[in-house]
Amino acid sequence: MRSSASRPLLKAALWDMDGTIVDTEPYWIEAERTLVEAHGGQWSHDQAMQLVGQSLVFSAGLLQEAGVAMERRDIIDTLTGHVVSQVRKSVPWRPGARELLDELYNAGVRCALVTMSEAPLAREIVASLPAPYFDFLVTGDTVSQGKPHPEAYLKAVELLQQQDPDLSHHHCVALEDSAPGVAAAVASGVVTVAIPHIVPLPHDPRRATWDTLEGRTVADLEELVALRHEFPDATFGLDAGSVARTTASPVRG
């Protein structure tokens, strides 16, 4: 039996889905616009950007404000159904995501999906992957509070701990593309990597930022987790994943 000192510090990767693994945001925006226009309204680019990374319940509320005369549950089902139908035609993978998933899987690093999309869409995406990369899915319909609240990430860590009681949030890395998702991951205490996609992200020293997952490896994630263990108060630089080792305490979000 290996000593605790010899165990790898990186134990789990927690993956956002829309915008991080797959570029489904155009599908969502198309579904939103079609629904609003069917109810006599107009849907602008700025309105669509407000929904990126948000929970579907929140999004449905804004669509109601834009004139969609439907119950929130019906709006969610309509949007999800449209995106599922598009994904069945073509899965728009983000660069480097499948490669990093495969390397994590082969390295024995557990992965969980943490998405505000609901289970029907998440299952479609997972079924399109070549291997069972994910231990489990935390979806928007399994939490009471969506991103930017940390509930989804806290739930993922708790589920991981059921098989590994020694695991803590410091052993986990979250991969996110949106402001609500990054805020949720940071608030949960896990090491957070932002890969901005549709919407630029403001400066935040509490996370690392990568331009893309393409070319990224398990070793890159291990470096970030090791830094968190060695320097608990370190802040992360914004340049392609480099890390600024400082003594500034992270600001709570």
Side-chain angles (χ1 to χ4, degrees), residues 197-211:
H197 178 39
I198 296 290
V199 179
L201 299 178
H203 171 79
D204 189 339
R206 299 169 299 174
R207 57 164 165 83
T209 302
W210 295 349
D211 292 334

Side-chain angles (χ1 to χ4, degrees), residues 125-239:
I125 300 301
V126 169
S128 301
L129 291 164
Y133 294 136
F134 295 104
D135 279 29
F136 55 83
L137 317 180
V138 176
T139 55
D141 48 339
T142 65
V143 296
S144 60
Q145 300 182 87
K147 301 173 184 177
H149 193 278
E151 180 185 348
Y153 280 105
L154 294 172
K155 180 175 181 176
V157 173
E158 289 174 1
L159 291 170
L160 289 164
Q161 288 172 331
Q162 289 179 7
Q163 291 188 15
D164 182 0
D166 293 328
L167 178 143
S168 77
H169 53 278
H170 291 305
H171 296 107
C172 303
V173 173
L175 300 162
E176 276 280 0
D177 74 297
S178 70
V182 168
V186 169
S188 76
V190 301
V191 179
T192 304
V193 180
I195 312 98
H197 178 39
I198 296 290
V199 179
L201 299 178
H203 171 79
D204 189 339
R206 299 169 299 174
R207 57 164 165 83
T209 302
W210 295 349
D211 292 334
T212 178
L213 289 178
E214 193 166 15
R216 289 295 178 177
T217 66
V218 172
D220 293 322
L221 298 178
E222 289 175 335
E223 181 181 356
L224 295 177
V225 173
L227 180 79
R228 169 66 67 83
H229 279 260
E230 187 176 357
F231 299 96
D233 294 329
T235 58
F236 296 91
L238 288 174
D239 59 311

Side-chain angles (χ1 to χ4, degrees), residues 50-65:
Q50 291 180 50
L51 305 192
V52 174
Q54 296 283 1
S55 73
L56 285 171
V57 173
F58 176 87
S59 299
L62 289 190
L63 288 168
Q64 286 177 327
E65 293 177 9

Side-chain angles (χ1 to χ4, degrees), residues 68-99:
V68 177
M70 296 169 61
E71 296 295 325
R72 290 194 184 193
R73 182 68 256 170
D74 294 332
I75 293 174
I76 292 170
D77 290 342
T78 300
L79 296 178
T80 300
H82 175 88
V83 178
V84 167
S85 68
Q86 295 301 104
V87 164
R88 286 174 176 169
K89 297 175 186 176
S90 176
V91 181
W93 303 108
R94 293 286 294 139
R98 286 178 294 175
E99 292 80 2

